[in-house]
Amino acid sequence: MAQIEIKDIRKVYRVDTEKIVALNRINLSIEQGEICCIFGTSGSGKSTLLNILAGLEKPSHGSVLIDGHDICKMSEKKLALFRQKNVGFVFQSYNLMSTLTALENVALPLQFRGMDKKKRNKYAMEMLKSVGLKERMKHTPNQMSGGQQQRVGIARAFVARPKIVFADEPTGNLDSKTTKEVMEIMIHLARKHHETLIIVSHDRDIAKYADRIIYIIDGNIKSDEPNESVLKN
Amino acid sequence: MKFRDKLSMCLGNLYKRKVRTLLTTIGVVVGTCAIVITVSLGIGMQMATDQALASMGDLTLITVYGYGISSDQTQLDENFFQTVKENEHVVAAMPSISPEWGSMKITGGNNGRYVYESTINGVFMEDLEAMGYTLREGEWPETFTDDMILMGTNSLYDFYDSKKTTNNYISSWSGKDPFVNLDDRFELMITVPEDSTKKAPTYRVQPIGIMEENYNLQPSSSYSIFISYNAMKEWITEYKRLNGIKVDRNETLKFNSLVVKCDDMNNVAEVEEWIQSFGFDTYSMETIRKPLQDQARQEQLTLGALGAISLLVAAIGITNTMIMSIYERTREIGVMKVLGCKINDIRQVFLMEAAAIGFMGGLFGVLISEGVSFAINHFGSGVTGESWEIVSGMATGSTSVIPWWLVVAALIFATLVGLVSGIGPANRAVKISALTAIKQDS
Ligand SMILES: Nc1ncnc2c1ncn2[C@@H]1O[C@H](COP(=O)(O)OP(=O)(O)OP(=O)(O)O)[C@@H](O)[C@H]1O
Ligand SMILES: [Mg+2]
């Protein structure tokens, strides 16, 4: 069985009396260590799918099995614990804690796990080094550029060695040069520890980095193919 | 999450919003001050009242008077004495009987030259010490015998010289010694009719000491000689026999007075009322104590209500601050949730923030209260009105007292107020959907 099994996922939003079908019967399975890009136009349902995969949203129908556990049936409490153990998250708008330094931000997921300060700072330090921000560890988010902030965000997503890292438009706010840097770091980190990485994007250039591109149109999977260019290399 | 991390997160959040934290804290400070100062004034008042009352004597005593009792009502005699002793709140009762005026006298000195014809009381000699009588001279004996007498403070001066018709008195304030002293020979003599052939019987009596003056005690410790109740009872019978006074077989010996000691001053009112219901006149400190205490309580209640209201306002302030803080931090809370922060940890951080505001407010409130208390005691007077000054005048002059337990209680209470105010907001924070939170624009 694959690491992630999505069966018959359907998501319908109700706004007043109107029904909006964001996802229409999605079936997917993703293996451990795969780097996938959920690709599609704006409003096609990419974020909705990602949020359901991460347990942030419940589908109207269907099930999401991660390592055999149906996360759609978990309580809020269990989900928090599940995310703490298995999931990392990279946001489009970074979402760093403005009062904390880069080091503290990276160490946050470890702090939530109850790791003591000395130990978690050591891990966070290593992470910051591997995203090339060793010199910035004492800086707060507003003292850093967008690209630097996103690198801190990536370090934070990977620091606890999650099984899966989700990234919703991670480069949406960055220029093309920085986008390249950030994508390369992310791919490198995922490969290094054989972690599953699921990226949401509407940008063809981003999709190029993935092993597998899942193309979504209007809540349906239009195509689901290995990325030729990556496979060629 | 470790407790230390939660604490530092909580303090960090408070520090980040310094001004608002400060303003909210001030609310708690004011509330705490109001309550602490109120209670401290109350305690000061209570202490002053207690002190004033203590100086008035034993508050548990009730004196039942033996006069003004008509023949068709309950009599103040040994039967009633038994009734009183059976009351659960009565720990002791002491009757006092006196001979009819002129029926007995005590002589002292050479051949009984000096004569005492004033009050003689038959009392329970062995109970006197417990009733609060103290000795100026002499000591309480181990065992009491019927020939013992106890002199009132000024009783020795009441012996007059029977050999003279003028200048036969020495007054107690003359500074001179009385005619007799405790080492003299004293005798009690029962009067017989002048035409009687019988010789007046005399009994040798032995003074054990002189009582210290105490106006709060009944029978009087100043102008009276005490003698054993049983002996007096016999001598009264003897007197009646010798003087041919007929005694109805059903008639009992009437007490002069009966002093009743209650187990607690709070039961005095009840016991006194009960005794009065038999038709007796009584006297106790209750008539003075009650209004004093009622007034003190009234003032405390008024001030306490003000304090409670200000703390309630402070509590609303805390809740308001927390809710605002949650609105601002919606996104932050959402991110924490997405990053796997446990729901209980989030709740606890918020509760700690609210409790910390309460605690800090309590701490500063207590400190300021100490200052205000000092100011009241050193510069202020008549804070709470005239009657209060009368009482405080009798006391030490300190009017605001903050004992250590009040400090601890205020801190705990303020912290609890914060904590309780934070429950609602914390639950709200926990319910924030991670998804809507991160979708929100920064
Ligand atoms: N909370 C919601 N209530 C109602 N409709 C919603 C809600 N969230 C999403 N939708 C709708 O569902 C559809 C899919 O939205 P989704 O956010 O998944 O799109 P997307 O592919 O991520 O687009 P973008 O690239 O612009 O982020 C859209 O039509 C959107 O309007
Ligand atoms: Mg989206």
Side-chain angles (χ1 to χ4, degrees), chain A residues 13-15 20-23 40-49 51 57 92 168-169 200-202, chain B residues 435 439:
Chain A
Y13 289 109
R14 245 171 258 271
V15 180
I20 298 165
V21 181
L23 295 174
T41 54
S42 183
S44 55
K46 310 183 292 293
S47 297
T48 308
L49 178 59
N51 292 335
E57 206 169 357
Q92 176 175 355
D168 193 348
E169 313 263 11
V200 160
S201 182
H202 59 261
Chain B
L435 191 63
K439 271 187 179 174

Side-chain angles (χ1 to χ4, degrees), chain B residues 45-92:
Chain B
M45 228 180 268
Q46 191 68 54
M47 282 171 67
T49 312
D50 285 352
Q51 231 159 341
L53 288 172
S55 71
M56 290 173 189
D58 191 342
L59 302 173
T60 60
L61 294 184
I62 302 169
T63 304
V64 188
Y65 297 112
Y67 49 74
I69 297 166
S70 57
S71 54
D72 56 348
Q73 72 169 82
T74 311
Q75 298 297 307
L76 193 63
D77 54 17
E78 288 186 359
N79 292 333
F80 185 69
F81 172 73
Q82 288 305 328
T83 312
V84 165
K85 282 196 80 169
E86 275 161 26
N87 186 300
E88 54 170 343
H89 295 310
V90 172
V91 288

Side-chain angles (χ1 to χ4, degrees), chain A residues 51 56-57 76-77 80-81 83-84 89 91 93 95 97-99 108-109 111-112 114-116 120 156, chain B residues 1-2 4-6 9 16 331-332 335-345 434-435 438-439 442:
Chain A
N51 292 335
L56 297 176
E57 206 169 357
E76 271 280 321
K77 267 190 181 157
L81 213 65
R83 280 197 289 268
Q84 196 180 78
F89 231 95
F91 303 92
S93 46
N95 277 331
M97 302 288 162
S98 57
T99 48
L108 209 53
Q111 183 183 329
F112 292 157
M115 191 182 281
D116 66 51
R120 67 179 191 241
R156 182 177 67 181
Chain B
M1 245 173 123
K2 286 219 154 47
R4 276 188 54 165
D5 292 329
K6 279 183 264 195
M9 185 178 274
K16 189 172 158 192
R331 191 183 175 82
E332 192 181 308
V335 172
M336 280 169 69
K337 279 188 162 183
V338 174
L339 295 182
C341 186
K342 282 189 209 139
I343 285 165
N344 274 337
D345 289 346
L435 191 63
I438 56 170
K439 271 187 179 174
S442 48

Side-chain angles (χ1 to χ4, degrees), chain B residues 275-328:
Chain B
I275 292 172
Q276 283 170 349
S277 73
F278 289 92
F280 296 115
D281 274 339
T282 59
Y283 171 80
S284 74
M285 282 294 167
E286 193 65 8
T287 45
I288 298 167
R289 187 187 78 95
K290 197 93 195 342
L292 270 181
Q293 204 163 47
D294 283 355
Q295 185 178 4
R297 203 160 283 166
Q298 188 63 45
E299 285 174 5
Q300 282 178 49
L301 225 66
T302 317
L303 291 170
L306 286 176
I309 289 171
S310 47
L311 210 61
L312 183 72
V313 172
I316 294 170
I318 295 179
T319 306
N320 182 50
T321 299
M322 295 307 294
I323 288 175
M324 279 179 69
S325 159
I326 285 162
Y327 275 130
E328 277 172 19

Side-chain angles (χ1 to χ4, degrees), chain A residues 47-114:
Chain A
S47 297
T48 308
L49 178 59
L50 185 93
N51 292 335
I52 288 174
L53 283 178
L56 297 176
E57 206 169 357
K58 300 259 187 230
S60 314
H61 178 268
S63 61
V64 178
L65 299 180
I66 294 183
D67 288 331
H69 304 286
D70 190 348
I71 62 164
C72 304
K73 293 203 177 98
M74 285 185 190
S75 65
E76 271 280 321
K77 267 190 181 157
K78 269 199 167 161
L79 271 173
L81 213 65
F82 166 80
R83 280 197 289 268
Q84 196 180 78
K85 282 186 181 152
N86 300 301
V87 174
F89 231 95
V90 181
F91 303 92
Q92 176 175 355
S93 46
Y94 327 130
N95 277 331
L96 302 180
M97 302 288 162
S98 57
T99 48
L100 303 184
T101 63
L103 188 75
E104 287 166 336
N105 263 295
V106 174
L108 209 53
L110 300 177
Q111 183 183 329
F112 292 157
R113 287 185 175 194

